[in-house]
Structures are given as C-alpha cells and as structure tokens.
Amino acid sequence: YELEREGFHVVYLYSSEDLVMTDVDISDILLTVARLISKSLTAAKVELNPAGFQGLLQKTWSVLQSDVSISGEVNTPVGKVGGSTTGEVSADLLGIGKFSAKLKGNPDARARLRQHLEPQTDNLLELINKELLDPANKALQERGEKGQKGIVAIVDSLDRLENTKERNQAEYIFVTRGEKLRQFHCHIVYTTPLVLNFSNSIAPLSDRFGGAPKVLPMVRGKN
C-alpha cells in the first residue's frame, strides 16, 4: 500500500501458482512475470499491442503440440486477442494462463518448452521489455495530472524453490542465471530462499543483484 500511495503501479505475483517448485527454469519465470503483469495492466485498462510476443508464443505452442502429447489442447490459438480491435492485451496474456496450466502437470511438455525457449531467453526478455513494460510504464506515467511512477513487481514464493538430485535450484536460478532476473524494465523484488544467505553463494548473489538480500520479518513488530 505504501508503494501505491507513492504513485507506483504495484503487481504482486504469487509465482508458485504457475510454477512447479521442484522444476523451475528462467524461461518459466519470465513467462510468469509477463502473464501476471499483463493481467494487472489489463485490469488497469492499459492498452498494448505485443505483436512480436504473440508470434513467439504461437510458434512455441505449435512446437509443443507437434512434439508432445498435451491433453485438452487450448482451443483459442496463443496470440489471438479475443474480441479486441484496439490491441488491448487480454487478461490471460494471449493464452499464457491456459498454456501454463497445461504445462504444470506435464513434465515432458515443460522440458520441451525449455528446449525451445531457453536459447531465446534474450529475445524473450527484449520482447517483454519492448512490447509490455516500456509502453506500459510510459502510459502509466502519462495518466492524469500526476501520472504514476511506473511498475513495481513483487515476485513472491520463489523462496520455496526445492532442490533436486540434479541441481541446487536456488543457486541455479539466483546465482547462475540471476543476471537475467535483473533485466526487466521495471522495479522488481524477489523472495529468495534464506539458505542462500548462509551459503558460499552469498558473495556472487550479492554481486548479481547489487547488494546482499534483505531479511524481512514475517509479522509486523510493535512500535
């Protein structure tokens, strides 16, 4: 509420609703952030026209449908803006919600998605910034007499990442690939597993994000 009073458009992302905490990669987080920010912007009546993003999602969905058996395929093509002639993004960001729901229970499809999207991480970030965040920040700042200061995204529940036999998920996401998480063109806050604060990864983690993680209390203390 304090950030909203200061004039920011605040988006709270409970990422575990979209992600499988034992099986997360950077492209999964990028899509989740894009979907939930776009949903919030639609509710705020911010109009966008992410044509390049639409094309990337349509190609991705086509690859998954051809390579992996996905039951209950999405009937509305990813990339179609239902009933919109103004370029306004649908509340489901052109099908990503249905897209994510099908993938969450299908590890084969998630693996194929990453094979397709991970080499395109830089392009995916560029499209999110160019077609979603940059025009949205501009539109918000131009609103009314005072406008807004831009977007703040709070990405919660990534502190619940679970390690697997194959890798330490927390170190992989926030240290090995953490540079990508800093490249969104908006203010962004991530919750991180507390164990990183007490590991050998604290120094590279601090370098990645420009400072050591802040430890916040779970409940408000009395004054």
Side-chain angles (χ1 to χ4, degrees):
Y1 294 117
E2 184 176 341
L3 288 169
E4 291 176 344
R5 287 197 299 269
E6 292 181 8
F8 291 98
H9 179 86
V10 180
V11 184
Y12 179 83
L13 298 81
Y14 196 66
S15 55
S16 62
E17 292 182 351
D18 286 64
L19 304 176
V20 177
M21 289 293 119
T22 56
D23 185 23
V24 177
D25 217 320
I26 289 296
S27 57
D28 307 330
I29 296 174
L30 301 186
L31 287 178
T32 296
V33 170
R35 182 180 81 82
L36 296 176
I37 287 180
S38 72
K39 182 177 180 180
S40 176
L41 293 172
T42 299
K45 300 188 184 305
V46 176
E47 293 187 358
L48 303 167
N49 185 25
F53 199 95
Q54 293 177 34
L56 177 62
L57 291 180
Q58 185 65 66
K59 289 179 182 178
T60 300
W61 184 250
S62 297
V63 167
L64 288 178
Q65 286 184 310
S66 62
D67 288 0
V68 181
S69 176
I70 303 178
S71 62
E73 284 83 0
V74 177
N75 293 324
T76 301
V78 175
K80 180 179 180 181
V81 183
S84 174
T85 58
T86 62
E88 181 178 345
V89 178
S90 71
D92 192 13
L93 186 56
L94 319 173
I96 284 189
K98 295 177 182 178
F99 185 79
S100 300
K102 300 300 179 186
L103 296 177
K104 191 168 184 179
N106 191 327
D108 291 337
R110 291 198 305 274
R112 188 68 185 95
L113 172 72
R114 290 181 192 131
Q115 290 175 13
H116 182 70
L117 283 184
E118 283 297 321
Q120 303 184 70
T121 299
D122 289 339
N123 183 42
L124 180 58
L125 268 166
E126 182 180 0
L127 290 172
I128 291 171
N129 287 326
K130 182 179 178 180
E131 299 188 351
L132 180 66
L133 296 177
D134 288 346
N137 278 319
K138 182 178 180 181
L140 290 167
Q141 290 163 4
E142 292 176 348
R143 283 191 164 183
E145 295 182 0
K146 295 183 178 180
Q148 291 181 291
K149 295 179 180 179
I151 298 167
V152 175
I154 301 173
V155 186
D156 198 0
S157 73
L158 287 179
D159 55 304
R160 299 182 181 182
L161 288 171
E162 299 178 24
N163 292 335
T164 66
K165 293 180 180 180
E166 290 75 24
R167 71 185 181 195
N168 183 314
Q169 291 251 101
E171 289 186 355
Y172 173 73
I173 292 296
F174 289 106
V175 180
T176 306
R177 305 294 305 279
E179 180 182 357
K180 300 300 180 185
L181 299 181
R182 294 191 60 193
Q183 294 180 20
F184 289 108
H185 290 182
C186 67
H187 304 286
I188 193 159
V189 178
Y190 300 98
T191 57
T192 62
L194 188 61
V195 67
L196 287 178
N197 291 32
F198 304 100
S199 72
N200 294 330
S201 297
I202 186 60
L205 176 68
S206 300
D207 289 340
R208 281 277 187 265
F209 290 91
K214 307 296 182 184
V215 179
L216 302 177
M218 293 296 291
V219 296
R220 184 185 298 274
K222 294 183 179 179
N223 293 330

